[in-house]
Structures are given as C-alpha cells and as structure tokens.
Amino acid sequence: MENMNLNKHISGQFNAELDDIRNRVLAMGGLVERQLEQAIDALSTLDAELAQKVITGDHKVNGMEVSIDEECTRIIAKRQPAASDLRLIIAISKSIADLERIGDACVRIAKAALDKRLNNQQPLLVSIENMGRHAIRMLHATLDALARMDADSALELHKEDAKLDREYEGIIRQLMTYMMEDPRSIPDVLDVLWAARAVERVGDRCKNICEYIIYYVKGKDVRHTSYEDMEKDMKD
C-alpha cells in the first residue's frame, strides 16, 4: 500500500511538472505574440519609442527560453519519461527554440522601424504591415493549437505558410521594381527587404511548431515532408 501511495504521489508531481512547462511555454508564446504585434505597429507608424521597447524586451523572451529548456532537461534526467510524455517535452523544447527565433525576427522588424529613411517608402510599408498582420494571425492560431495540442488545426495552419510566402514574393517584386526605377533607393529598399524577410520567417517558425504538435499527437516526425504525405500520416 505504501508503494502504491508513493507511486501515486510521484505520478501527481510529474503531471504537475508537465502542466507547469506547458503553461510556461504558452506564457512565452503570449509574450512573443505581443512583441510581434508591437514590432509591426512600430514599423507601420515608424514609432521609434515602440520599436525600442520591442528591442529591449527581447531579453525576456531569451530568458524564458533558457529557463524552460533547463526545466525540460531536468525533467528528462529526473523522470526519464517515455512515450507521449517524452514527446511532449521534446515538442515543447523545440517549440520554445522557434518562439525565441520569432522574438529575434521581431527585433529585426523593430530595428528597421528606427530608420527614418523609410518615411519615403510608405507603399512598401503598407504591404509589409498587411503581411505582418497575416503573420500575427498565424502565430495566434498556432499558439492556440499548441495549447490544445490540436493536430488537425496544426495541419491546416501548416498550409498557411505558403500564403505568407506568396505575399513575401509579391513584396520582393515590388522592391525589385523600385530598385530598377531608381537605383538611389537601393539602401532604403534593402531595409524594407530585411523587415519583410523577418516577417516571412515568422511563418516558417509557426510551421515548425505545427509539425511538433503533430509529432506529439501522432508520434510521427513530419518534418521535410509534403502536405499530402502529412495528411496521409494524420489518417494512419
């Protein structure tokens, strides 16, 4: 009886630890989402104060990644989880790495907002803002899927990155036209290019997190596979 009570106690502690790291990764996701919203707002309005707030706030994102990753390592060493518990910890550990990189993308966007030369590039900034709003919606939906570990939603969101890529390609075509028409605009246009690239990378990171969700739920590594193959794996 004592052994049964001890095992129950250990199991309860382990579940509490898993719940804790799930809550912490979602808190980190919420912070990154706010960072992205503020970075896009700063770029669209060229608000230097807001941009600086995003840049200085990045250390919080980095700190959360380190602390959550350390906790994942501690749980693996102490509990030696197996099956779905191990997949959960791996999915979280990988997700926080991608969330941290989204935070880095926010900093790149915010730094572009500090360049006053972009006052002359309003049409391009509008295009990036539209793309940025799309990226914010995708990140929000991805975090929602992560909170619920919803593999079906993750699969649908995986396709969304292709739409973001098409918007990015459209902006690149705009940029090329500007540079060909006026070579003097190249330095200004390059700043817009790096900001657009940073937004595009947000979609890539969201896609990665969706793959980790599917890995946790289905126990299958779907990285580097086509959407059609992923769909088949989901049905198996």
Side-chain angles (χ1 to χ4, degrees), residues 136-177:
I136 291 168
R137 292 192 298 272
M138 186 176 178
L139 175 58
H140 181 81
T142 299
L143 292 172
D144 183 59
L146 182 65
R148 295 179 291 109
M149 284 298 176
D150 186 338
D152 291 328
S153 294
L155 181 64
E156 287 305 305
L157 282 165
H158 198 275
K159 291 192 298 185
E160 197 69 22
D161 182 54
K163 298 178 184 178
L164 206 62
D165 288 343
R166 286 195 291 273
E167 290 181 52
Y168 174 65
E169 290 164 3
I171 291 174
I172 293 298
R173 285 193 293 272
Q174 277 185 281
L175 294 173
M176 294 297 292
T177 300

Side-chain angles (χ1 to χ4, degrees), residues 1 8 24-25 37 39 43 53 68 73 86 99-100 137 148 156 162 164 168 210 212 220 224 234:
M1 182 64 73
K8 193 173 184 181
R24 287 167 67 182
V25 74
E37 289 171 348
L43 184 62
K53 182 179 178 181
I68 296 170
T73 301
L86 179 59
L99 286 173
E100 189 276 331
R137 292 192 298 272
R148 295 179 291 109
E156 287 305 305
L164 206 62
Y168 174 65
C210 289
Y212 308 145
K220 294 182 178 179
H224 314 301
M234 288 284 290

Side-chain angles (χ1 to χ4, degrees), residues 44-70:
S44 62
T45 59
L46 295 181
D47 186 332
E49 185 177 344
L50 185 57
Q52 196 59 53
K53 182 179 178 181
V54 172
I55 294 167
T56 57
D58 186 54
H59 76 278
K60 295 180 183 177
V61 176
N62 295 339
M64 292 180 85
E65 185 208 8
V66 171
S67 65
I68 296 170
D69 196 45
E70 286 176 346

Side-chain angles (χ1 to χ4, degrees), residues 3 14 39 44 58 78 87-88 100 104 114 204 209 214:
N3 285 338
F14 184 29
S44 62
D58 186 54
K78 183 178 179 181
R87 293 202 305 274
L88 173 63
E100 189 276 331
D104 291 342
L114 295 174
D204 292 340
I209 294 171
I214 295 170

Side-chain angles (χ1 to χ4, degrees), residues 16-223:
E17 290 169 356
L18 293 178
D19 286 341
D20 178 60
I21 59 169
R22 286 184 70 163
N23 290 334
R24 287 167 67 182
V25 74
L26 293 175
M28 181 183 177
L31 175 58
V32 170
E33 186 178 354
R34 287 194 297 276
Q35 286 278 94
L36 181 58
E37 289 171 348
Q38 291 175 345
I40 296 299
D41 286 343
L43 184 62
S44 62
T45 59
L46 295 181
D47 186 332
E49 185 177 344
L50 185 57
Q52 196 59 53
K53 182 179 178 181
V54 172
I55 294 167
T56 57
D58 186 54
H59 76 278
K60 295 180 183 177
V61 176
N62 295 339
M64 292 180 85
E65 185 208 8
V66 171
S67 65
I68 296 170
D69 196 45
E70 286 176 346
E71 182 62 12
C72 288
T73 301
R74 188 195 67 80
I75 291 174
I76 290 173
K78 183 178 179 181
R79 303 296 186 188
Q80 298 182 352
S84 63
D85 290 335
L86 179 59
R87 293 202 305 274
L88 173 63
I89 295 170
I90 290 172
I92 287 175
S93 182
K94 289 180 176 293
S95 293
I96 60 173
D98 276 291
L99 286 173
E100 189 276 331
R101 291 185 181 101
I102 292 175
D104 291 342
C106 294
V107 170
R108 285 194 289 274
I109 296 166
K111 285 183 177 178
L114 295 174
D115 191 342
K116 294 303 181 183
R117 292 178 302 176
L118 295 186
N119 278 311
N120 300 321
Q121 303 295 337
Q122 286 302 322
L124 292 173
L125 292 181
V126 170
S127 296
I128 293 185
E129 182 184 6
N130 292 336
M131 183 183 173
R133 301 298 171 197
H134 188 176
I136 291 168
R137 292 192 298 272
M138 186 176 178
L139 175 58
H140 181 81
T142 299
L143 292 172
D144 183 59
L146 182 65
R148 295 179 291 109
M149 284 298 176
D150 186 338
D152 291 328
S153 294
L155 181 64
E156 287 305 305
L157 282 165
H158 198 275
K159 291 192 298 185
E160 197 69 22
D161 182 54
K163 298 178 184 178
L164 206 62
D165 288 343
R166 286 195 291 273
E167 290 181 52
Y168 174 65
E169 290 164 3
I171 291 174
I172 293 298
R173 285 193 293 272
Q174 277 185 281
L175 294 173
M176 294 297 292
T177 300
Y178 269 85
M179 288 188 286
M180 286 188 291
E181 290 178 351
D182 182 8
R184 293 172 300 176
S185 71
I186 291 175
D188 299 346
V189 168
L190 285 177
D191 288 332
V192 179
L193 172 62
W194 301 134
R197 176 61 175 163
V199 175
E200 189 273 337
R201 293 299 288 161
V202 172
D204 292 340
R205 301 302 177 188
C206 288
K207 187 171 73 170
N208 290 347
I209 294 171
C210 289
E211 291 172 356
Y212 308 145
I213 295 169
I214 295 170
Y215 165 71
Y216 166 69
V217 175
K218 302 298 290 186
K220 294 182 178 179
D221 189 343
V222 295
R223 291 175 297 175

